[in-house]
Amino acid sequence: MTEYDTKSLPAPDSWASFFSAVRERPSMWLYKPSPLDLHTFIRGMIFSTSVHKPSSSKCWEDFNFQEFESWVSKNFNSERMSVNSFHLAEHLSETGELGFKLWFKWYDQYN
């Protein structure tokens, strides 16, 4: 079993640093690299922020999910399915891992 020194891993302080950390070591953050697991994790983070209401200096506000979802839908959802970007990436890919990579490809293109 591998032991990790969590003190050597900086805690993400923005969505950009979080996405970078997840992409680099997905198994550390998610059960498996898939867009649906990523979506579940993000929804949990957003929910916990709404419950615990951290000070505004600690809130991650550097990524506009609504704009990103609209952009993905406009550019990649030709069938006009009623799904978000995570489910669309999963649907358009053969495996969860490929969907994970596709979602991050869209993220990179958007930024």
Side-chain angles (χ1 to χ4, degrees):
M1 182 166 157
T2 305
E3 290 188 35
Y4 296 102
D5 177 13
T6 57
K7 292 177 183 156
S8 68
L9 300 171
D13 59 358
S14 67
W15 285 113
S17 63
F18 168 73
F19 290 141
S20 177
V22 169
R23 190 184 324 207
E24 186 177 322
R25 297 175 76 181
S27 297
M28 186 174 144
W29 299 92
L30 309 171
Y31 174 67
K32 62 182 184 245
S34 81
L36 301 183
D37 284 9
L38 178 61
H39 180 240
T40 301
F41 192 90
I42 290 170
R43 296 305 303 164
M45 291 175 63
I46 292 170
F47 176 76
S48 70
T49 300
S50 70
V51 170
H52 297 290
K53 301 185 187 331
S55 67
S56 61
S57 64
K58 294 184 179 179
C59 287
W60 297 0
E61 299 173 353
D62 65 327
F63 186 69
N64 188 325
F65 281 100
Q66 288 182 329
E67 282 183 15
F68 176 72
E69 291 296 327
S70 295
W71 178 82
V72 168
S73 182
K74 178 182 170 190
N75 291 291
F76 304 105
N77 191 356
S78 60
E79 297 175 37
R80 297 294 175 227
M81 297 183 302
S82 181
V83 296
N84 61 31
S85 62
F86 305 97
H87 286 83
L88 183 62
E90 182 91 3
H91 174 75
L92 295 176
S93 302
E94 295 176 17
T95 67
E97 190 165 350
L98 290 174
F100 182 80
K101 290 176 182 179
L102 178 60
W103 191 90
F104 274 108
K105 179 180 175 184
W106 294 340
Y107 173 77
D108 291 338
Q109 289 175 2
Y110 178 74
N111 287 317

